[in-house]
Amino acid sequence: MTMLTRHRAIFLAYLGMIVLLLLTSFFSPGFLSGSHLRSMSVLAAFIGIVALGQTFVIIGAGIDLSIPWVLNCAAILMSLIAGGENGPLIWAIPLVLVAGMAVGAINGIGVAFFGVPPIIMTLAVNVILQGSILVYTGGAPPTTAPAFIQYLAVGRIGFFPVVVVIWAVLAIAASILLSKTAFGRQLYAVGANATVAEFSGVPIMRTTIATYMISGFTAALAGMLLTGYTGQAYLGMGDSYLFTSIAAVAIGGASILGGSGHYIGTIAGAFVLTILTGLLPALNLSNGALLIVYGAVILVTVSLASDALSEVAQAIRSALGRRDPSSEPREADTP
């Protein structure tokens, strides 16, 4: 019961996932079939991998708006280097992943060392990457994805899709990093109160840079895998993953203002968003309704975490406490 209370937000995220799953199966018969659940887990994996890095950044009281074009650049760069062949992937994959981490390091240095607000820093980097790739490619789509990348995205190991296995390995690594390491404890301290953490000896700059490097790594990895899923990289393929990555973290119970949350909750958030994508067509709603859901989720979670709303809630509780007859001293209790 103590654990349930401590992780109530994560529990509610999984409860919401189950309710949505049952609701969608009611409107769309066959939604719970094995083949459909497998397909849904693949789509959730792409969101979950991108949202892994976003989880670390948000726990550290930051946000990464450069994800769309880190993902895009990774997909296009890998496709151009490989040229549709498996051979060049031996050095193309490490190069692209390191490039993604390098972009994350630039974000982290700008935020931690130069004091640029995360929204401004990461948004500027996103625009620079967008312009750079447009200049480099001339707007022309690259060649098809190599067969090995396609296998990673759509292949299977027995019943399980390969991309889901990759996601599971990353999820275990992220959970251990957050829960069992000094870095995880330092990250929560930075997100809760950077000033206090600094006076406590926490390496603020190194921790912040590391979180953005993780985000760059996962965005680049997701870009390559998504190329294998679609068969070809294309401009704008990462745009939809900006708000989905943030919404998945928020649905998973993390505070957008930092200092709390866990990747286990983000996993539920990724599935919730994927299920919603299947529920809306069943209700004859357009994708515009999904964008409304994303915006509402982010707005509500930020509002719930804000100091102003907390003060209002405290004032309401105090007022109700004063009106509660049980809170008044009884005559027998008075001297």
Side-chain angles (χ1 to χ4, degrees):
M1 185 62 68
T2 302
M3 183 176 294
L4 181 62
T5 303
R6 187 189 311 167
H7 302 290
R8 181 178 59 181
I10 296 176
F11 171 77
L12 291 175
Y14 279 93
L15 180 62
M17 179 189 75
I18 294 172
V19 170
L20 276 176
L21 197 60
L22 296 176
L23 181 63
T24 307
S25 66
F26 175 78
F27 287 101
S28 179
F31 191 82
L32 294 179
S33 65
S35 59
H36 192 274
L37 289 176
R38 185 169 56 234
S39 301
M40 185 180 66
S41 66
V42 170
L43 297 176
F46 294 120
I47 299 175
I49 292 173
V50 176
L52 190 155
Q54 191 76 272
T55 301
F56 278 77
V57 173
I58 287 177
I59 289 175
I63 196 165
D64 190 355
L65 303 184
S66 67
I67 280 176
W69 280 91
V70 172
L71 187 154
N72 238 116
C73 290
I76 292 173
L77 184 61
M78 182 275 297
S79 299
L80 290 175
I81 294 174
E85 302 293 331
N86 287 333
L89 291 176
I90 295 177
W91 59 277
I93 292 177
L95 176 64
V96 171
L97 292 177
V98 169
M101 294 175 68
V103 174
I106 293 172
N107 283 328
I109 291 171
V111 172
F113 186 78
F114 292 102
V116 182
I119 291 178
I120 302 300
M121 184 67 203
T122 57
L123 183 60
V125 168
N126 188 67
V127 174
I128 291 171
L129 290 175
Q130 181 180 5
S132 299
I133 205 67
L134 288 174
V135 171
Y136 182 70
T137 63
T143 57
T144 57
F148 179 70
I149 296 295
Q150 295 186 41
Y151 168 74
L152 293 180
V154 299
R156 282 190 285 172
I157 300 176
F159 175 82
F160 300 99
V162 177
V163 68
V164 175
V165 174
I166 295 173
W167 183 25
V169 172
L170 292 173
I172 293 172
S175 298
I176 293 174
L177 195 59
L178 287 172
S179 303
K180 304 295 184 181
T181 66
F183 171 77
R185 293 189 292 272
Q186 292 167 354
L187 178 59
Y188 283 107
V190 171
N193 192 315
T195 303
V196 174
E198 185 175 11
F199 281 110
S200 301
V202 175
I204 304 292
M205 189 175 303
R206 186 174 66 192
T207 303
T208 301
I209 293 173
T211 61
Y212 283 98
M213 290 179 68
I214 293 172
S215 183
F217 175 88
T218 56
L221 176 61
M224 290 189 288
L225 293 173
L226 192 60
T227 303
Y229 183 78
T230 59
Q232 183 177 355
Y234 58 91
L235 299 175
M237 66 188 299
D239 291 348
S240 62
Y241 287 91
L242 175 58
F243 287 111
T244 53
S245 66
I246 300 172
V249 177
I251 292 171
S255 170
I256 296 294
L257 302 182
S260 67
H262 200 283
Y263 185 65
I264 293 176
T266 302
I267 295 173
F271 276 108
V272 166
L273 294 178
T274 305
I275 296 169
L276 282 173
T277 304
L279 175 62
L280 293 180
L283 298 177
N284 294 321
L285 298 175
S286 66
N287 287 334
L290 193 60
L291 296 177
I292 295 174
V293 171
Y294 293 162
V297 165
I298 295 170
L299 180 61
V300 169
T301 51
V302 171
S303 299
L304 290 175
S306 67
D307 293 335
L309 191 62
S310 299
E311 292 175 1
V312 171
Q314 181 62 35
I316 293 174
R317 285 195 296 267
S318 300
L320 292 176
R322 286 195 297 269
R323 295 176 184 177
D324 187 0
S326 62
S327 64
E328 298 292 334
R330 293 174 298 179
E331 291 184 2
D333 297 332
T334 56

